[in-house]
């Protein structure tokens, strides 16, 4: 693919606007696209325009507030709409112009969905604002006026400020009669003109707004960290743990501080990895892919009602059909290439020298371009796990351990789960149950596993074809055929007259055959001390191929290092504080400029920028040899 020429982008935008509707899917992979603002373009990532629209706006079951409320809600301190493009851009989400799947021009990742799976929400409205995975996993690199939208890259969005201000705006609307009257008149008029079910009386709407304001405010308080996250970070794991152990179980005492914010990981090649998450905690085979997606929805406003004493699964708002669409698109997605932008040319004469440096210091953990092909349909990636160990120690990764330790160590009260299987189904749990003697000290990861599998069971009983489609999504044809054949046999069986226990048993056998067996329940003493989770109990982080790494700053799992150049330096040479929030790119150092509204302080627990340095990483050598540093940076740009 030839590089974009700077002067041609404006022309491409104009020509694009003149194209007929049928050309959209053909052309938008290499330039402008439906819904784009001026100078905003995409780079080729094996997704056509229809794919991109689906990735950006497919509902996955997240439920924030009624959709029409979001369109009519004003900002707390002005009459400007909260959903305005200027406000969303200020919060660093990516505004778009209206399209068929995004009729009101909301930012990428904000969706129009239904209230299925939540009776208490359905009577308020039958259309809800949600978030889908692209809200957190779509980035934009800006350089000299051009805006390159990168699918799968981390967002620069300020999640914590966004939802704090949303709750504040809702409260302000309750307290200001004029603001409420404008809000209510708009919601009622829109519900009539759009034929969307909603409250027709202002007095009732005020009561509903008060209730939802409390729900959103309590969510914010429950999932607040010890310090602000800032742009491009979220303790999603902490939120998922709280929503399952606190909200779903109804035990407020289970609340733990969401104090381990991490940078949103880049998600190209996610389905091809053997395990996912920064700490490699989720197996990515068989049922694992659906499990990780269901868990993700529960962390971003998906609703869950645990039913531990019934054999019908857990009620949830998760949209399994939407997850199937999104997973299929992730299988197609490829990493972005520097050469498909107007960033300065990679200095090809330095790449070979940089490759040598990479092979000497990086390739043992991160596969090089010689061993990894971004366009290989059969690529499979085995994660390299490295123990964190002590921050002050001389071995191990030595990066901030908070996220990895929280995952392994956090426990909760779960009396209602006593006697139930740890993975909801007997086979997936290897027969293990929540024991009475541990009901006040249950691993939160086990509560999450029980919640996710129970949600999948419920979805299967409600719409088995949707679950089978989600399990098949993107996988090799041979696996899809086996899943389809087994699924059709199961569907025939489920149509018969079966008792609830027999239905569960049939589903259990199917998921046992195609599901992942847990490895985190019975671990030997030796493995516990010497192996990374899930084979052992060591807190570890995952290394991965670095294709497209140039578009994913800031670096380290917690976003504590602003540029790639600094990551390749000794830790004590890195910035102690820096600003985050700009999308303006620094091509020399590979990262975003030291600009923005959020000051990142690396001295705060959870924000440490230590580790990933020393002799084995070559950081001292690179510090003393600027030529080698420059060569390595040039090599990394072209991955």
């Amino acid at each position: 693919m030839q590089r974009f020429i700077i002067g041609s982008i404006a022309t491409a935008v104009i020509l694009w606007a003149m194209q007929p509707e049928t050309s959209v899917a053909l052309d938008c992979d290499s330039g402008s696209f439906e819904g784009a603002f001026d100078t905003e373009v995409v780079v080729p990532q094996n997704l056509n325009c229809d794919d991109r629209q689906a990735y950006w706006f497919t509902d996955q079951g997240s439920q924030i507030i009624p959709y029409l409320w979001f369109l009519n809600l004003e900002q707390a301190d002005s009459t400007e709409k909260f959903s305005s493009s200027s406000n969303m851009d200020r919060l660093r989400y990516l505004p778009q112009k209206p399209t068929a799947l995004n009729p009101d021009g909301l930012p990428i990742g904000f969706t129009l969905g239904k209230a299925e799976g939540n009776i208490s929400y359905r009577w308020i409205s039958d259309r809800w604002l949600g978030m889908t995975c692209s809200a957190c996993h779509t980035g934009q690199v800006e350089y000299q006026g051009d805006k390159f939208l990168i699918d799968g890259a981390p967002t620069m969005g300020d999640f914590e400020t966004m939802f704090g201000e949303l709750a504040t705006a809702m409260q302000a609307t309750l307290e200001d009669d004029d603001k409420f009257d404008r809000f209510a008149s708009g919601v009622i008029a829109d519900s009539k003109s759009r034929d969307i079910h909603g409250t027709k009386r202002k007095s009732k709407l005020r009561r509903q707004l008060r209730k939802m304001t409390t729900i959103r405010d309590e969510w914010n308080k429950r999932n607040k960290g010890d310090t602000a996250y800032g742009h491009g970070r979220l303790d999603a794991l902490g939120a998922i743990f709280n929503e399952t152990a606190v909200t779903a179980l109804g035990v407020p005492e289970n609340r733990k501080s969401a104090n381990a914010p991490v940078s949103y990981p880049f998600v190209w090649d996610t389905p091809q990895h053997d395990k996912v998450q920064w700490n490699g905690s989720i197996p990515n085979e068989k049922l694992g892919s659906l499990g990780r997606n269901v868990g993700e929805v529960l962390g971003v406003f998906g609703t869950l009602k645990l039913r531990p004493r019934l054999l019908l699964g857990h009620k949830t708002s998760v949209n399994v059909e939407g997850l199937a669409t999104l997973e299929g698109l992730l299988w197609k997605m490829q990493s972005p290439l520097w050469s498909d932008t107007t960033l300065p040319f990679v200095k090809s004469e330095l790449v070979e020298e940089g490759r040598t440096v990479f092979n000497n210091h990086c390739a043992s953990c991160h596969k090089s371009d010689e061993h990894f092909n971004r366009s290989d349909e059969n690529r499979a990636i085995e994660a390299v796990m490295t123990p964190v160990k002590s921050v002050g120690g001389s071995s191990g990764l030595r990066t901030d351990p908070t996220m990895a330790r929280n995952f392994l160590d956090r426990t909760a009260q779960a009396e209602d789960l006593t006697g139930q299987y740890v993975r909801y189904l007997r086979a997936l749990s290897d027969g293990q149950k929540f024991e009475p003697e541990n009901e006040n000290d249950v691993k939160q990861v086990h509560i999450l596993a029980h919640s996710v599998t129970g949600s999948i069971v419920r979805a299967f009983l409600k719409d088995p074809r949707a679950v089978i489609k989600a399990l098949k999504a993107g996988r090799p044809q041979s696996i899809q055929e086996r899943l389809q054949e087994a699924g059709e046999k199961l569907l025939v069986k489920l149509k018969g007259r079966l008792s609830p226990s027999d239905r569960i048993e049939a589903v259990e056998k199917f998921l046992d055959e195609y599901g992942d067996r847990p490895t985190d329940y019975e671990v030997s003493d030796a493995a516990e001390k010497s192996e990374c989770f899930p084979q052992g109990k060591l807190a570890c982080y995952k290394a991965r191929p670095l294709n497209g790494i140039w578009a994913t700053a800031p670096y380290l799992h917690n976003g504590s290092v602003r540029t790639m150049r600094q990551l390749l330096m000794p830790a004590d040479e890195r910035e102690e504080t820096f600003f985050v929030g700009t999308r303006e790119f620094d091509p020399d150092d590979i990262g975003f400029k030291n600009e923005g509204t959020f000051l990142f302080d690396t001295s705060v627990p959870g924000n440490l920028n230590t580790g990933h340095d020393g002799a084995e990483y070559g950081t001292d050598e690179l510090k003393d040899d600027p030529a080698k540093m420059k060569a390595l940076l040039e090599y990394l740009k072209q991955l």
Side-chain angles (χ1 to χ4, degrees):
M1 181 70 193
Q2 292 184 342
R3 299 168 55 88
F4 290 118
I5 300 174
I6 295 177
S8 72
I9 290 184
T11 303
V13 172
I14 295 171
L15 292 175
W16 175 257
M18 299 170 59
Q19 292 295 314
E21 184 76 12
T22 55
S23 69
V24 169
L26 298 176
D27 294 345
C28 74
D29 196 36
S30 59
S32 188
F33 56 92
E34 185 184 15
F37 282 91
D38 290 347
T39 71
E40 187 177 39
V41 298
V42 294
V43 297
Q45 292 183 255
N46 199 39
L47 299 176
N48 64 37
C49 200
D50 293 337
D51 291 336
R52 293 182 191 275
Q53 287 287 308
Y55 175 62
W56 296 340
F57 302 115
T58 294
D59 172 56
Q60 62 177 9
S62 168
Q63 296 176 337
I64 302 171
I65 61 173
Y67 184 79
L68 296 181
W69 291 17
F70 189 66
L71 298 185
N72 286 282
L73 186 71
E74 296 174 355
Q75 297 175 46
D77 56 358
S78 77
T79 59
E80 182 183 355
K81 291 293 190 291
F82 191 90
S83 60
S84 69
S85 292
S86 60
N87 191 43
M88 292 294 99
D89 185 59
R90 177 182 65 86
L91 294 165
R92 281 297 178 257
Y93 290 98
L94 292 162
Q96 299 293 289
K97 295 178 182 178
T99 63
L101 289 183
N102 181 31
D104 295 289
L106 297 185
I108 285 174
F110 288 76
T111 61
L112 168 60
K114 298 181 180 180
E116 295 180 356
N118 191 330
I119 296 175
S120 63
Y121 279 4
R122 199 179 306 159
W123 64 273
I124 300 177
S125 176
D126 61 355
R127 294 292 184 271
W128 282 69
L129 175 78
M131 295 183 81
T132 196
C133 52
S134 60
C136 302
H137 303 287
T138 306
Q140 190 160 283
V141 170
E142 300 179 1
Y143 182 69
Q144 294 184 345
D146 298 327
K147 301 175 180 179
F148 299 99
L149 198 149
I150 312 294
D151 286 316
T155 180
M156 193 60 78
D158 188 343
F159 185 101
E160 192 172 33
T161 298
M162 158 82 186
F163 288 97
E165 291 188 3
L166 179 66
T168 300
M170 294 167 72
Q171 185 62 42
T173 303
L174 285 170
E175 296 173 352
D176 184 323
D177 288 342
D178 291 339
K179 190 178 283 284
F180 177 79
D181 283 343
R182 291 191 296 271
F183 167 78
S185 297
V187 169
I188 292 171
D190 280 354
S191 64
K192 290 180 180 179
S193 64
R194 299 181 185 223
D195 195 25
I196 292 178
H197 168 72
T199 302
K200 303 297 190 296
R201 299 196 313 272
K202 287 187 177 182
S203 59
K204 187 175 182 180
L205 183 59
R206 185 185 289 273
R207 292 196 299 271
Q208 293 172 345
L209 177 60
R210 183 174 292 111
K211 178 180 178 180
M212 286 306 306
T213 300
T214 299
I215 290 173
R216 290 278 62 86
D217 188 56
E218 289 180 345
W219 194 101
N220 292 339
K221 292 177 180 177
R222 186 168 55 248
N223 297 301
K224 185 176 179 58
D226 298 331
T227 59
Y229 300 161
H231 295 277
R233 297 200 309 165
L234 178 68
D235 186 357
L237 178 65
I240 293 171
F241 276 0
N242 281 334
E243 293 313 297
T244 51
V246 178
T247 308
L249 278 178
V251 184
E253 296 79 10
N254 283 340
R255 188 263 174 188
K256 302 288 195 305
S257 173
N259 64 348
V262 297
S263 176
Y264 297 105
F266 48 105
V267 296
W268 48 80
D269 305 325
T270 291
Q272 290 84 9
H273 281 252
D274 62 340
K275 56 187 70 171
V276 297
Q277 301 292 354
W278 286 111
N279 62 340
S281 58
I282 299 180
N284 202 28
E285 59 181 7
K286 301 179 181 178
L287 186 61
S289 59
L290 181 55
R292 67 172 155 80
N293 290 329
V294 169
E296 178 258 332
V297 178
L298 297 181
V300 284
F301 311 110
T303 60
L304 170 68
K305 183 175 179 60
L306 290 179
R307 298 151 56 92
R309 304 298 172 187
L310 298 177
L311 289 176
L312 299 175
H314 303 318
K315 285 188 174 181
T316 177
S317 63
V318 172
N319 181 346
V320 173
E321 187 172 359
L323 292 181
T325 297
L326 294 166
E327 183 68 10
L329 293 170
L330 284 182
W331 275 92
K332 291 182 64 175
M333 184 184 295
Q334 295 176 6
S335 55
L337 292 176
W338 179 289
S339 57
D340 286 323
T341 72
T342 57
L343 293 168
F345 283 97
V346 173
K347 297 177 176 60
S348 57
E349 68 275 13
L350 298 179
V351 168
E352 284 307 312
E353 181 183 353
R355 188 193 310 274
T356 300
V357 178
F358 181 92
N359 288 335
N360 289 339
H361 295 295
C362 312
S364 60
C365 293
H366 304 283
K367 289 184 178 180
S368 71
D369 58 348
E370 295 175 333
H371 303 103
F372 178 78
N373 182 352
R374 67 193 280 271
S375 61
D376 181 3
E377 294 182 356
N378 299 311
R379 62 191 185 277
I381 304 165
E382 184 176 347
V384 177
M385 303 300 301
T386 304
V388 179
K389 298 191 177 180
S390 62
V391 173
S394 60
S395 62
L397 193 57
R398 304 190 313 284
T399 57
D400 193 301
T402 312
M403 181 268 184
R405 286 260 52 100
N406 283 357
F407 181 86
L408 293 176
D409 297 343
R410 289 197 162 175
T411 62
Q413 301 175 44
E415 181 180 356
D416 284 352
L417 297 182
T418 300
Q420 306 302 301
Y421 291 108
V422 291
R423 291 290 297 274
Y424 192 82
L425 297 175
R426 178 181 61 254
L428 295 183
S429 307
D430 280 346
Q432 294 187 58
K433 296 183 177 183
F434 296 103
E435 301 296 341
E437 59 269 25
N438 296 325
E439 64 185 21
N440 292 319
D441 192 30
V442 175
K443 290 284 189 182
Q444 288 202 3
V445 64
H446 295 173
I447 298 173
L448 174 59
H450 179 89
S451 302
V452 166
T453 309
S455 298
I456 293 173
V457 169
R458 177 74 176 183
F460 209 120
L461 294 174
K462 180 182 177 182
D463 189 353
R465 291 189 182 277
V467 176
I468 293 170
K469 180 181 177 181
L471 292 172
K472 291 168 51 180
R475 295 187 177 185
Q477 188 62 34
S478 59
I479 295 178
Q480 290 197 36
E481 291 173 356
R482 288 195 294 110
L483 266 167
Q484 186 65 35
E485 182 180 357
E488 293 295 338
K489 291 180 179 178
L490 176 60
L491 292 178
V492 172
K493 190 171 185 177
L494 291 177
K495 289 179 180 178
R497 294 185 175 181
L498 298 177
S499 67
S501 60
D502 288 340
R503 290 171 66 84
I504 288 292
E505 183 179 356
V507 172
E508 183 171 23
K509 288 181 178 178
F510 178 83
L511 294 180
D512 183 35
E513 181 177 356
Y514 293 99
D516 59 306
R517 285 186 170 275
T519 55
D520 58 327
Y521 301 117
E522 294 183 1
V523 178
S524 68
D525 291 339
E528 181 171 342
K529 297 177 181 179
S530 63
E531 299 290 337
C532 293
F533 181 89
Q535 287 73 28
K537 296 295 184 181
L538 286 183
C540 301
Y541 291 119
K542 183 183 81 168
R544 59 177 296 170
L546 300 183
N547 52 310
I549 191 66
W550 61 270
T552 68
Y555 299 105
L556 288 186
H557 75 281
N558 59 354
S560 60
V561 181
R562 184 173 61 86
T563 69
M564 180 60 67
R565 182 184 296 275
Q566 289 191 34
L567 184 61
L568 299 175
M569 297 286 283
D572 59 8
E573 297 283 332
R574 299 167 186 164
E575 294 169 331
E576 295 182 2
T577 62
F578 57 91
F579 284 96
V580 184
T582 185
R583 301 189 188 105
E584 191 64 28
F585 197 69
D586 178 350
D588 293 327
D589 291 353
I590 312 182
F592 295 103
K593 291 188 174 182
N594 190 359
E595 300 170 357
T597 58
F598 180 76
L599 181 64
F600 194 110
D601 184 353
T602 64
S603 68
V604 175
N607 287 3
L608 304 184
N609 66 355
T610 51
H612 201 276
D613 68 342
E616 59 189 310
Y617 296 95
T619 52
D620 291 331
E621 178 181 342
L622 292 170
K623 173 190 173 183
D624 296 334
D625 193 335
K628 282 187 177 180
M629 170 71 81
K630 187 173 183 179
L632 179 56
L633 289 172
E634 292 301 304
Y635 174 77
L636 292 172
K637 290 176 185 179
Q638 53 86 50
L639 289 179

